Structure formats: structure tokens, C-alpha cells
Amino acid sequence: VDCAVWRELVGELSLKHERSMLLQFAIAIMTNKGYHDEIASLVSVASNFKVFNTSLLNHIRKSHNVRPDRLDDELADFKKLCCHSAASYLYSQVLLTHLATVTAANESSTTLTNHSSHYRRLSQELEKFALKTLPAQQTQNIHRIRLLLLQVSEYPTVMAPITNILTDRAISQATINQLY
């Protein structure tokens, strides 16, 4: 695992054989040894929770050093990793929402305020990518996840009309009246 050529070979093979337990084990060892950048683009990373979680946290840590105008380009592997499955997307969004909420609650300086808004921005970038890449029938789930994470369900008079708008993909006069 210490040889770059072998790590590259493991990466190439894991892209062809996503369900191979041997390759997943090798990727786990690579993660434990700190080769996060080399395995970041592997789709098979998302199938092992420990490796996925380590890679996700590493991406989030590294994203703090990226200029806001370069964030979209620099996080391509992050977005692919998080959108590998519905479970990985949901976990990533819940984690980012939790981080944003906790840092906002503890903010006592402008640095923490920046962290909170940074986590919200990552969440938005992830949602934007998922809406672009996933089939149309799955986009409703993405909207529902967003509403649940924003705790809109605590306001049933708002939740029902918004759900109707997202489901119908149109706004009716009745929906506007309900919101008003």
C-alpha cells in the first residue's frame, strides 16, 4: 500500500470491481494510512461507511482552504462521493446541516460565523449537483430532504403548500392563498 503504483492499480481495479471485498479492504488500509487524496474519486469508497466517513470529513476539512469562487470546481470528487447513493446523500446533508447548526449556536466570533455559512454553502452545492445529475423522479426526494432538514414540517401551514409546489412543479392561485 505504500507504493504509489500499487495504490493506483487498486484504484483502477476498484472502479471496475466495485463489490470486491479484497479491494474494499485495500482501500480501507489506504484510508488508515492517510492516502485520502488518492482514493477520493473512487466510487467504491462510498460502499464502506468507515472509509466513506473518513473521506467525507477530509473533504469538508480541505474545503475550508478553498476560495468561495473556486468551491464548485474544487469539490467535484466530494459531490460524486456524497451522491453515490441516497444513503450517502442523506448522511452528508444531515452532517453538514448539523455542523452549520452547531457552529451557528456556538458562534462568538466572525470565524465561527464563516464556518456556519461555509457548511450551508457546501450543503447547497451538494444539493445543486444532485438536482443536476439525478433522474427527475428522484429530485422530489431531494426537495423533501431539504424541507425536513430546514424543519419546515414544524409549520404545517407552510409545509403543505410548499410540498404541493414541489410535487406539481407549478404554482396555483390556491397554493398562493394558502401561503399568504
Side-chain angles (χ1 to χ4, degrees), residues 1-14 23 26 30 35 38:
V1 182
D2 293 328
C3 178
V5 175
W6 287 109
R7 288 192 305 271
E8 185 178 338
L9 179 62
V10 167
E12 289 174 12
L13 288 173
S14 71
L23 294 171
M30 290 168 60
Y35 298 109
E38 294 181 32

Side-chain angles (χ1 to χ4, degrees), residues 23-58:
L23 294 171
Q24 287 179 15
F25 178 71
I27 291 170
I29 290 173
M30 290 168 60
T31 300
N32 291 340
K33 292 213 174 201
Y35 298 109
H36 304 288
D37 293 337
E38 294 181 32
I39 64 166
S41 63
L42 303 178
V43 175
S44 58
V45 169
S47 60
N48 181 324
F49 180 74
K50 183 178 177 186
V51 176
F52 168 76
N53 195 45
T54 304
S55 186
L56 176 64
L57 294 175
N58 187 47

Side-chain angles (χ1 to χ4, degrees), residues 34-131:
Y35 298 109
H36 304 288
D37 293 337
E38 294 181 32
I39 64 166
S41 63
L42 303 178
V43 175
S44 58
V45 169
S47 60
N48 181 324
F49 180 74
K50 183 178 177 186
V51 176
F52 168 76
N53 195 45
T54 304
S55 186
L56 176 64
L57 294 175
N58 187 47
H59 277 296
I60 291 172
R61 261 187 237 108
K62 284 176 49 179
S63 70
H64 287 288
N65 299 328
V66 178
R67 289 191 344 244
D69 60 328
R70 302 267 312 135
L71 193 61
D72 194 38
D73 298 331
E74 295 290 328
L75 294 177
D77 290 337
F78 168 76
K79 293 182 228 176
K80 288 178 197 170
L81 176 73
C82 294
C83 292
H84 174 71
S85 68
S88 61
Y89 176 78
L90 179 61
Y91 177 77
S92 303
Q93 287 289 26
V94 168
L95 178 66
L96 289 169
T97 302
H98 176 72
L99 289 170
T101 304
V102 167
T103 54
N106 294 329
E107 61 188 24
S108 61
S109 68
T110 57
T111 305
L112 288 174
T113 304
N114 290 339
H115 285 302
S116 179
S117 63
H118 178 73
Y119 296 133
R120 283 192 297 274
R121 171 78 190 276
L122 286 176
S123 177
Q124 291 168 353
E125 290 294 327
L126 187 57
E127 181 177 355
K128 188 169 72 172
F129 179 78
L131 289 170

